[in-house]
Amino acid sequence: MAVAVAVATAATGLAGTAFAGPTTGEARSVASVSDTAAVVTAARAAAFAHASATGVTTGDELQAQDVMLDPEGARHVRFERSHNGLPVLGGDLVVHLDHKLAYTGVTRAADQTVKPAAAAKAKLTAGQAAAKAAQAAKGEAGTAQLVVDARDGASALAYQVTVTDQDGTSTVVVDAVTGEVRSNTPDSDQFLSPKLIKSLQQQGVTATPSTGAARAAALGRADAPTGVTSAYPSAAKGTGKTLYDGSVGLTTTQTSRGHYQLADPSRYGTEVRDAKGKYTESFGAGAKFTATTNVWGNGTTANRASAAADAQYGITETLDFYKKTFGRKGIAGNSKAAHGLVHWGSKVANAFWDPTCNCMLYGDGDGRTFKKPLVVLDVTGHELTHGVVDATAKLEPTYVDSHGNQFGEPGALNESLADIFGSNVEFYANNKQDKPDYLIGEKLGLSQKFLRRLDHPSLDKLEGTIDYWSPAAYDTEVHAGSGVSSHAYYLLAEGSGKKTINGVAYDSPTYDKSTVKGIGRTKATAIFYRALTRYMVSTTDFHDARVATLQAAKDLYGANSTEYKTVNQAWAAVNVTAANTPAARH
């Protein structure tokens, strides 16, 4: 993901419109290209006209990244910013308009006017900056690009450099005047943090997931056409014999009579390939999975296609969840394929969302702690949601330590949303071999029986996940810090106290000892998705997320609704309130 360090988010004058129905779809399809262009033009003009609220100043240019047209009439335009031709890190903002294209408010990352000091001139050359970046990230540096670093309340002239090593890429920002390394952030989103992997190895923990050809599982939804065709390539119905989810239906491509490829033409050409142990970030470098039977894998790791079947199933279920729930077409909302590379690297005990290739990378495990591929359904849903976040709010960690562990509330919120929507993918798929629940990584075979959980996050002793907010959350590793907003979501959806769902017992506590009555998973998920796509930016922290979800609930159900009031109660129950909003925001 792109790098940014959190600064205060100003949510100014959010006066969104309310409507009765809970429609949450991406309604851009109802508008023509000219309509969308008119919205962008109006939003850009509004940003400059309301400069005191938006922070836009002379020399700024705004590049539209996303346009959202809501069914009830509101319009939202997400902008990236440049200043005097230089990209601005932490300069993103969302301008909100009503149905008449009148300005109603802004959500912005930088809480100050973005304007580097007039005296700031680069003292380092691009080559010197690249050398410093390569040393910091221990890899091969690409070309250094001048930028304005507006993160953390700054307006510094800096160089941004992509550094590549065996494990992927990092984005390094070097001060163009002092030579200081301002940030060094891995671009990929790892499912397991370096801290957790090291801890598991030190404890001698062995994850032993139950895999093998399951006796029964529903064949999934049949979206592919049937019948004999003489036109190739064409869609065909295949079967995946997965490691974790039993026998599942897969839509594949028939390339010729009796020959098939593991690519889904009904979902934009979504495909999984075999990295064959390479550390490649090029999907095209992967080997295609082909067969003559249209049956993929045998439910064991002895067959390389088994992991591919899990991955393809997880990716297509995630795509279907986002499309059928929110109308989102593809991870980036652009109707493009989602890709996956299985058997990635050598003895890699992790799975990643990699924005460099816009694809999933799945390791086979290290043979010690994790002995099987990390192609579990909720892992895929989690990681692909990082792709959705990258395409929308671009939530970023505030800082990264020398071991690659990430910290800070925006990064923790990113992890939380990945857990929330990853859990929802399970509920959507409703696979009998992987019953939907509010547990994350329960199929990985850990002795704890799960990796994280949404109802009572602190039951995760492996990562030390937290239930409630405190100022210490800023310095909490992002996977551990994710518990704050994950807990708020669970309370909003299911409420506090004891509950059993699909055979799993939950007992969710509250910070203020209050009783929260949930509004249901469907409504809670709609609120969090709308908040992410409309009202979150790269620096959104937990208190900003409270404001964003309240605004989303107001849009969907009204300011006097039970849903709106319950959002407020759920955040209070994890100790996030208007009253304890920090005066000095990171």
Side-chain angles (χ1 to χ4, degrees), residues 103 122 167 176 203 235 249 268 331 341 377 380 399 405 408 479 548 556:
Y103 172 84
D167 296 325
Q203 295 175 43
Y268 325 114
I331 297 304
L341 287 169
L377 178 60
T380 295
Y399 66 98
N405 295 295
H479 296 84
L556 294 172

Side-chain angles (χ1 to χ4, degrees), residues 80-102:
E80 296 289 341
R81 185 186 328 203
S82 61
H83 183 77
N84 291 335
L86 301 181
V88 177
L89 308 183
D92 51 304
L93 66 157
V94 184
V95 176
H96 311 290
L97 309 173
D98 66 15
H99 68 287
K100 294 182 178 179
L101 303 187

Side-chain angles (χ1 to χ4, degrees), residues 182-238:
R182 299 178 65 84
S183 62
N184 174 13
T185 307
D187 291 328
S188 61
D189 292 279
Q190 304 179 15
F191 184 69
L192 302 170
S193 69
K195 179 181 178 182
L196 175 62
I197 292 174
K198 183 178 180 179
S199 175
L200 292 173
Q201 290 173 343
Q202 289 175 340
Q203 295 175 43
V205 172
T206 299
T208 53
S210 175
T211 60
R215 289 189 299 274
L219 275 180
R221 282 166 290 282
D223 297 324
T226 59
V228 177
T229 179
S230 57
Y232 303 109
S234 61
K237 282 190 174 183

Side-chain angles (χ1 to χ4, degrees), residues 86-413:
L86 301 181
V88 177
L89 308 183
D92 51 304
L93 66 157
V94 184
V95 176
H96 311 290
L97 309 173
D98 66 15
H99 68 287
K100 294 182 178 179
L101 303 187
Y103 172 84
T104 59
V106 65
T107 308
R108 53 189 271 205
D111 196 28
Q112 83 282 349
T113 299
V114 176
K115 191 174 182 181
K121 293 185 181 297
K123 294 185 178 179
L124 270 71
T125 65
Q128 289 172 327
K132 282 186 173 289
Q135 183 180 19
K138 298 179 175 60
E140 183 178 346
T143 303
Q145 178 187 21
L146 273 175
V147 298
V148 177
D149 187 358
R151 305 166 303 170
D152 205 21
S155 287
L157 188 64
Y159 285 101
Q160 186 177 50
V161 189
T162 298
V163 179
T164 304
D165 64 11
Q166 176 177 276
D167 296 325
T169 61
S170 298
T171 300
V172 182
V173 178
V174 179
D175 195 293
V177 178
T178 68
E180 173 194 3
V181 175
R182 299 178 65 84
S183 62
N184 174 13
T185 307
D187 291 328
S188 61
D189 292 279
Q190 304 179 15
F191 184 69
L192 302 170
S193 69
K195 179 181 178 182
L196 175 62
I197 292 174
K198 183 178 180 179
S199 175
L200 292 173
Q201 290 173 343
Q202 289 175 340
Q203 295 175 43
V205 172
T206 299
T208 53
S210 175
T211 60
R215 289 189 299 274
L219 275 180
R221 282 166 290 282
D223 297 324
T226 59
V228 177
T229 179
S230 57
Y232 303 109
S234 61
K237 282 190 174 183
T239 300
K241 301 288 187 178
T242 70
L243 296 174
Y244 299 101
D245 293 314
S247 179
V248 300
L250 297 174
T251 301
T252 63
T253 300
Q254 186 170 4
T255 55
S256 63
R257 185 174 181 180
H259 293 86
Y260 305 90
Q261 182 179 337
L262 191 58
D264 188 339
S266 70
R267 294 174 178 89
Y268 325 114
T270 287
E271 182 181 359
V272 170
R273 293 187 180 182
D274 190 343
K276 293 195 171 181
K278 297 178 183 177
Y279 293 91
T280 180
E281 290 184 275
S282 169
F283 178 72
K288 298 177 181 179
F289 280 97
T290 59
T292 57
T293 62
N294 211 5
V295 176
W296 308 89
N298 63 2
T300 73
T301 55
N303 188 315
R304 297 182 73 83
S306 297
D310 277 280
Q312 183 79 355
Y313 173 68
I315 292 172
T316 55
E317 288 297 306
T318 302
L319 290 174
D320 286 358
F321 160 72
Y322 276 106
K323 182 178 180 181
K324 295 182 181 180
T325 307
F326 307 117
R328 187 177 190 84
K329 298 179 180 179
I331 297 304
N334 57 3
S335 299
K336 290 188 177 180
H339 292 144
L341 287 169
V342 293
H343 309 303
W344 186 83
S346 175
K347 296 184 177 180
V348 175
N350 223 326
F352 312 80
W353 165 254
D354 189 336
T356 301
C357 70
N358 286 309
C359 62
M360 284 292 305
L361 307 178
Y362 298 94
D364 281 337
D366 56 4
R368 177 182 168 191
T369 301
F370 292 94
K371 297 187 176 182
K372 294 180 180 177
L374 281 81
V375 288
V376 178
L377 178 60
D378 60 6
V379 172
T380 295
H382 172 106
E383 290 301 322
L384 285 178
T385 296
H386 281 310
V388 174
V389 174
D390 283 347
T392 54
K394 293 183 172 63
L395 291 160
E396 306 287 359
T398 50
Y399 66 98
V400 183
D401 70 14
S402 59
H403 302 290
N405 295 295
Q406 302 181 11
F407 298 84
E409 292 185 25
L413 182 60

Side-chain angles (χ1 to χ4, degrees), residues 17-25 71-72 523 526 530 552-558:
T17 54
F19 68 104
T23 304
T24 61
E72 80 281 11
K523 289 182 177 180
R530 189 180 182 93
K554 178 182 176 183
D555 289 351
L556 294 172
Y557 306 106

Side-chain angles (χ1 to χ4, degrees), residues 476-491:
T476 301
E477 192 276 326
V478 293
H479 296 84
S482 69
V484 175
S485 44
S486 292
H487 193 189
Y489 167 83
Y490 177 87
L491 290 166

